[in-house]
Amino acid sequence: MTPAAEASANTADFDAIIIGAGMSGLYQLLRLRELGLSVRVLEAGTEVGGTWYWNRYPGARFDSESYSYGYSFSKELLVEWSWSEHFSPQPETLRYLNHVADRFDLRRDIEFGARVKTAAWDEAARRWTVTLENGRRLTGRFLITAIGALSAPTLPRIPGRESFRGESHHTAEWPKEEVRFEGKRVAVIGTGASGVQTIQEVAKTAGHLTVFQRTPNWCAPLHNDKIGEAEMQAIRARYDEIFARCAETFACFLHTPDPRKTFEVSDAEREAVFEKLYAERGFGIWVGNFSDILTDKRANAAISDFVARKIRARVKDPAVAEKLIPKNHGFGTRRVPLETRYYEVYNQPNVELVDLTETPIERITETGIRTSARDHAFDMIIYATGFDALTGAFDRIDIRGSGGRSLKQHWSGGAATFLGFQSAGFPNLLMLLGPHTALGNIPRSIEYCVDWVTGLIGFMQARGLSRAEAPVTSVEDWMRTVRESSAGLLANEVSSWFTGVNTNVEGKGSRILARYSGSAPAFRQRADEVAAQGYRELDLG
Ligand code: NA7
């Protein structure tokens, strides 16, 4: 056979190729099957689960209430599944997603260990050609990315990292085999949501734990608890109400802002509201607080001062407490890690906090970490150093649209999308949780986005259309909305993945308009309008 004939004989063809078998990919597969499409899901891991497959670090769990996080599309699934905790631990969530895959017989269309290397649009054939790392090729009319918004882990750019001779793990690439900490000298670098969950768990058994903190975050109590069978029955009976509430709140959480402003109430009342929120489960203190805490500096200072007082009360050594209190950003302007006795960890004799603003890391050595002050010896280094968020997973695939245009290059100054679903110049590339989609309580957004994409494909199928592309004008229009909806947010003035900053990635050192920060209901209203008007803001052909 000629090389070309051989390539085509080895190429499997589908109506749709989905990249990723996490929460988005699984549900998208199910919905496209309902349309009668031939679908292949390509999954880099060896199991379903996505985020919950990769992030198996100790202490990993939801920060959204379990019963607001699961899929809502199937009454039967809701009836048969029991959550054992208000905030499900990772092993249970992974079991849940495996259960979903089995229950809906999804595995037969999923190829595991299939990491996508390239994807190229062929205008003449109106198809995407996808190449896997193992060299196999597949083609599909539609290419649907279900690759997650926080799925490209990044390691710190610290000299000598490769030279360390002990164990080292990134939280998002945690081994499947059990990792034990007893008697070990363990380092954790990073104090974001993953770092906080890891630290509070590792501190329980490690011989000695050293936390390397560059920027402290404002953390608030999770207040997790077990769910008994009777309570689960009561939750089941309320599912309609729970999902209806998620559908109307700003970010699809069960919590919604107090309509009052911080200084509309007396000092005593304000303190009482803060106390109540601090004592309640979940993200209420962040997204269910007074309506102006994320936009008004004085209001933000009030809640920041309240949480700072809590930290001082919980950490015995006043010098350590001060190090744990953020000084360069206010409460809620970065993702608030939810914690369980996190601050008390620093009262333990086996735990030490190293403030990298005072003594920066100079290098990683064969035996540990060298700061400007001294050498620390370790058996294990845990990198809780986060992700190349929002666009990183896209950048790691060589995606080429019309005329060979590279998506990575196209987005090099910041991504530009139409509702997060499409980017101009990339026909039939449909993104689930693409940049500038509403995120929030992510599964709620996933279900909406999958249904929207399914609606578009169904619409095209019914009319014999085979090509969809967002024109530049539609992208510009949506980006204007994204810009307007982010105006006035204090978070804009702070570096974090919210503003597209990751100092470990070349070219991602400065703040950009990285995400849509308007409300989820407004996002859905806009996307529903597009569908109701026959997708005329897309070029269909
Ligand atoms: P985050 O929130 O991005 O946190 C990463 C942490 O790692 C953060 O504390 C960083 O400090 C720290 N970091 C990163 N690079 C370095 C270097 N080079 N040196 C020292 N410290 C470093 O990631 P997570 O995984 O915790 O959470 C991501 C999201 O996943 C979370 O918001 C949830 O939605 C789920 P920095 O703050 O940059 O100074």
Side-chain angles (χ1 to χ4, degrees):
M1 266 198 277
T2 64
E6 198 169 352
S8 94
N10 285 334
T11 301
D13 185 50
F14 300 91
D15 294 324
I17 294 174
I18 299 171
I19 312 178
M23 280 197 90
S24 313
L26 292 179
Y27 182 45
Q28 185 67 79
L29 167 59
L30 187 69
R31 294 299 322 269
L32 292 185
R33 264 193 200 162
E34 287 167 8
L35 289 184
L37 264 58
S38 64
V39 186
R40 177 58 58 95
V41 180
L42 303 171
E43 167 55 53
T46 57
E47 266 181 69
V48 301
T51 287
W52 302 104
Y53 168 86
W54 296 102
N55 288 267
R56 37 181 97 219
Y57 61 84
R61 66 172 66 249
F62 293 162
D63 282 341
S64 307
E65 289 74 0
S66 307
Y67 29 88
S68 76
Y69 193 102
Y71 290 114
S72 70
F73 68 84
S74 160
K75 289 261 183 271
E76 296 75 19
L77 180 61
L78 289 169
V79 167
E80 72 202 14
W81 184 260
S82 293
W83 295 106
S84 71
E85 297 184 41
H86 283 272
F87 301 92
S88 166
Q90 174 272 335
E92 180 166 312
T93 308
L94 188 57
R95 264 198 312 281
Y96 170 74
L97 294 172
N98 273 283
H99 169 73
V100 171
D102 291 333
R103 191 187 197 292
F104 297 98
D105 186 23
L106 298 177
R107 285 177 217 281
R108 64 185 155 89
D109 290 322
I110 307 174
E111 201 168 316
F112 294 101
R115 188 175 284 281
V116 175
K117 194 172 165 200
T118 70
W121 171 248
D122 177 344
E123 186 64 53
R126 292 196 167 189
R127 302 192 96 68
W128 282 91
T129 300
V130 166
T131 313
L132 303 181
E133 266 182 2
N134 67 13
R136 251 169 49 69
R137 282 161 38 121
L138 300 89
T139 56
R141 172 78 68 213
F142 295 99
L143 178 64
I144 302 174
T145 56
I147 54 182
L150 292 152
S151 52
T154 47
L155 286 163
R157 294 194 281 186
I158 302 174
R161 195 166 42 74
E162 301 298 332
S163 67
F164 180 61
R165 285 202 310 243
E167 264 179 87
S168 55
H169 308 291
H170 190 289
T171 48
E173 286 172 336
W174 200 263
K176 287 184 182 164
E177 303 70 43
E178 191 189 3
V179 177
R180 300 188 71 88
F181 311 105
E182 282 88 350
K184 290 187 184 158
R185 298 161 304 172
V186 182
V188 174
I189 303 179
T191 51
S194 308
V196 165
Q197 289 188 334
T198 304
I199 291 161
Q200 64 200 17
E201 197 58 32
V202 174
K204 289 178 185 165
T205 54
H208 193 269
L209 168 64
T210 310
V211 176
F212 291 88
Q213 170 190 273
R214 188 165 66 180
T215 313
N217 281 300
W218 294 101
C219 309
L222 177 68
H223 295 300
N224 186 29
D225 210 344
K226 299 269 185 232
I227 301 178
E229 196 35 55
E231 191 175 9
M232 192 62 226
Q233 280 298 71
I235 289 168
R236 277 196 198 96
R238 285 179 42 233
Y239 265 133
D240 285 347
E241 185 198 318
I242 288 171
F243 291 121
R245 178 152 177 81
C246 291
E248 68 193 23
T249 62
F250 191 90
C252 311
F253 294 110
L254 289 171
H255 316 272
T256 200
D258 188 321
R260 294 172 299 175
K261 294 201 164 128
T262 304
F263 292 102
E264 264 171 37
V265 300
S266 69
D267 292 357
E269 199 175 341
R270 181 165 55 254
E271 188 76 3
V273 169
F274 289 162
E275 282 290 359
K276 182 170 171 292
L277 290 169
Y278 200 76
E280 281 175 4
R281 275 191 190 107
F283 278 135
I285 194 160
W286 186 22
V287 296
N289 212 315
F290 292 112
S291 60
D292 55 350
I293 65 152
L294 302 178
T295 49
D296 181 274
K297 282 207 163 114
R298 205 161 75 90
N300 186 264
I303 179 65
S304 300
D305 173 65
F306 173 85
V307 179
R309 280 185 276 129
K310 289 290 182 194
I311 297 172
R312 288 189 188 108
R314 291 173 60 184
V315 178
K316 284 191 189 137
D317 181 337
V320 175
E322 284 320 301
K323 287 179 185 166
L324 289 164
I325 296 172
K327 304 292 189 304
N328 67 354
H329 67 281
F331 178 85
T333 59
R334 305 169 113 208
R335 206 291 205 169
V336 175
L338 294 185
E339 48 84 24
T340 305
R341 300 190 60 72
Y342 173 66
Y343 289 110
E344 286 73 13
V345 155
Y346 296 96
N347 299 332
Q348 292 181 205
N350 66 331
V351 179
E352 178 188 355
L353 178 67
V354 174
D355 182 342
L356 297 179
T357 60
E358 288 172 1
T359 54
I361 296 177
E362 288 184 344
R363 63 179 302 109
I364 292 177
T365 65
E366 286 184 12
T367 53
I369 295 177
R370 180 175 303 155
T371 67
S372 59
R374 69 178 180 93
D375 275 307
H376 299 254
F378 294 113
D379 302 302
M380 188 190 303
I381 299 178
I382 298 175
Y383 296 103
T385 45
F387 302 90
D388 184 357
L390 306 165
T391 51
F394 290 91
D395 289 352
R396 290 180 185 192
I397 302 171
D398 184 7
I399 299 175
R400 305 272 166 170
S402 300
R405 171 195 293 209
S406 146
L407 186 67
K408 185 175 177 181
Q409 259 166 30
H410 185 53
W411 283 355
S412 58
T417 69
F418 180 56
L419 296 163
F421 290 126
Q422 284 217 287
S423 190
F426 296 82
N428 291 9
L429 172 63
L430 295 162
M431 302 177 286
L432 301 169
L433 300 191
H436 316 120
T437 305
L439 292 175
N441 186 9
I442 285 187
R444 303 282 62 80
S445 305
I446 286 174
E447 281 189 333
Y448 180 80
C449 291
V450 167
D451 289 344
W452 193 92
V453 163
T454 308
L456 169 63
I457 294 177
F459 179 92
M460 293 174 67
Q461 201 183 23
R463 287 159 185 77
L465 301 168
S466 57
R467 188 183 188 283
E469 180 180 357
V472 173
T473 46
S474 298
V475 171
E476 283 174 353
D477 185 49
W478 178 241
M479 294 310 293
R480 202 172 310 118
T481 305
V482 171
R483 223 174 354 267
E484 284 164 10
S485 65
S486 117
L489 283 179
L490 298 173
N492 294 340
E493 298 157 32
V494 176
S495 295
S496 77
W497 69 260
F498 281 7
T499 45
V501 176
N502 184 325
T503 56
N504 302 312
V505 182
E506 198 68 57
K508 295 196 176 168
S510 20
R511 297 200 276 268
I512 56 163
L513 187 66
R515 52 175 205 136
Y516 165 75
S517 26
S519 78
F523 174 83
R524 289 193 301 264
Q525 191 186 350
R526 180 79 180 84
D528 280 348
E529 238 169 57
V530 174
Q533 292 168 2
Y535 307 93
R536 58 175 193 224
E537 287 160 85
L538 298 179
D539 288 336
L540 298 183

